[in-house]
Amino acid sequence: MGGLAKGLLAIETFRADTPRQSISEVAAASGLDRATARRCLLTLAHLGYATYDGKYFTLTPRVLRLGTACLATMPMPSIIQPMLDDLSERIGESSSASILDGSEIVYVARAAQRKIMSISLMAGSRLPAHCTSMGRAMLAQLKDHDLTALIGEGPFEPRTKNTITTLEGLQAEFAKIREQGYALNDQETEIGLRSIAVPVYNSRKVVIAAINIGVSAFHYENAEVVAKFFPQLVEIQNELCGLIH
C-alpha cells in the first residue's frame, strides 16, 4: 500500500499551473526521492495514466476515471449542477460549487458562460482556499484552532499583488464574511477576476460546500457584484439547505 500512497502523491503534483513535469519537479513537489518519483511516473505511464516524451510527464484523460468515480458517488454535484446551469443562463456569468479538501477547494460543479481566468476550471480542479471566494466562505465558518490546523499560520502564497498573505489579515476578512454573509474576492486569485461566494449548508446547518459567481473586474465594481449577485446566490443557498442531508 506504500507504493499506492506514493503514486497518489505523484499524481497530486500535477495541477493547472504544472501540467507537464520532469522527474525532478515531481520529486520536489511530492517530497519523494528522485528514484521513487521516477518509478511512480514510469508506472503511471505504463498503465496509461500519463505520457512521457523522454523528459516531461503529462497526465492523460484516463486519470479522470479516478475523480469521476468519486464524483459519481456524491449526490451534491447532481443536485447543484442544474441550479448553476439555470443561474448562469439567466445572469450570463459563470458560477461554480466547491468543497474543502485540506487547504484547497475542489470544484464539484461548474457552469461556464465566458472565460475570465487564464486557467480552465472544471469539476475536479483545485485552487488554494485562502485566496478564493468559495474557500473563504467555508473557512470563515471554522473555529480558530480548526482553521490553523487546516491552512497553517502563514504567511500564505500570494497569487496576485492583492492577495492577503497573513493569518491576521485572513481572520479579519473571515469576521467580515460571517457578519455580511458572503465572501467577496477582488482580484486576489487572478487579476481581472472578481467573485462572490456564499457557504452551502446541509439540513443540519453544517457547512458542506460553497457556491460562487465570477465576473470580469473590468465590467463590475465590488458594490455592483454584491448588489446584483448576492441575492441570486442566497436564493440557491436557501433552496439547497433543504435538499442536502
Side-chain angles (χ1 to χ4, degrees):
M1 299 306 293
L4 173 60
K6 292 170 183 175
L8 292 174
L9 282 174
I11 290 174
E12 289 178 353
T13 66
F14 289 88
R15 302 171 182 268
D17 55 346
T18 54
R20 296 174 68 246
Q21 297 188 91
S22 66
I23 293 171
S24 297
E25 289 169 334
V26 170
S30 64
L32 300 171
D33 60 69
R34 194 177 187 284
T36 302
R38 179 177 182 277
R39 287 195 300 271
C40 290
L41 290 167
L42 289 176
T43 299
L44 289 172
H46 176 72
L47 295 175
Y49 288 99
T51 60
Y52 181 45
D53 64 7
K55 183 175 182 181
Y56 294 105
F57 288 84
T58 306
L59 295 184
T60 69
R62 185 183 182 92
V63 81
L64 293 176
R65 295 182 184 181
L66 305 176
T68 303
C70 174
L71 289 173
T73 66
M74 299 171 61
M76 184 171 53
S78 62
I79 294 172
I80 292 180
Q81 186 65 59
M83 296 181 180
L84 296 184
D85 290 338
D86 178 66
L87 172 65
S88 290
E89 185 67 27
R90 284 189 284 107
I91 66 176
E93 303 290 349
S94 298
S95 60
S96 307
S98 70
I99 59 174
L100 265 182
D101 183 20
S103 61
E104 297 180 315
I105 61 169
V106 180
Y107 283 73
V108 295
R110 180 163 168 80
Q113 283 289 319
R114 60 184 71 184
K115 186 174 176 60
I116 302 173
M117 297 187 69
S118 61
I119 61 174
S120 296
L121 296 173
M122 63 193 75
S125 294
R126 292 173 173 266
L127 286 174
H130 73 274
C131 62
T132 56
S133 61
M134 289 190 287
R136 288 182 180 175
M138 292 183 279
L139 292 174
Q141 314 308 315
L142 299 177
K143 303 290 186 183
D144 284 347
H145 64 277
D146 293 329
L147 175 67
T148 54
L150 199 65
I151 66 172
E153 298 183 355
F156 305 102
E157 178 188 2
R159 297 271 302 195
T160 75
K161 63 182 181 181
N162 296 341
T163 305
I164 297 173
T165 59
T166 66
L167 183 60
E168 293 76 13
L170 284 178
Q171 287 173 325
E173 187 69 19
F174 294 155
K176 188 190 304 182
I177 291 167
R178 289 190 293 270
E179 180 181 350
Q180 62 196 15
Y182 62 84
L184 184 66
N185 186 303
D186 185 6
Q187 305 181 80
E188 292 190 55
T189 307
E190 185 166 310
I191 294 297
L193 171 69
R194 286 195 173 107
S195 63
I196 183 171
V198 298
V200 172
Y201 302 89
N202 64 13
S203 57
R204 299 185 302 280
K205 302 299 183 182
V206 175
V207 174
I208 55 170
I211 52 176
N212 87 338
I213 294 171
V215 301
S216 169
F218 304 108
H219 296 159
Y220 294 95
E221 295 297 328
N222 286 333
E224 293 176 295
V225 173
V226 175
K228 183 168 184 177
F229 300 119
F230 179 45
Q232 309 264 10
L233 290 173
V234 170
E235 196 174 307
I236 295 179
Q237 181 190 52
N238 291 335
E239 188 174 353
L240 286 170
C241 187
L243 294 176
I244 301 175
H245 303 286

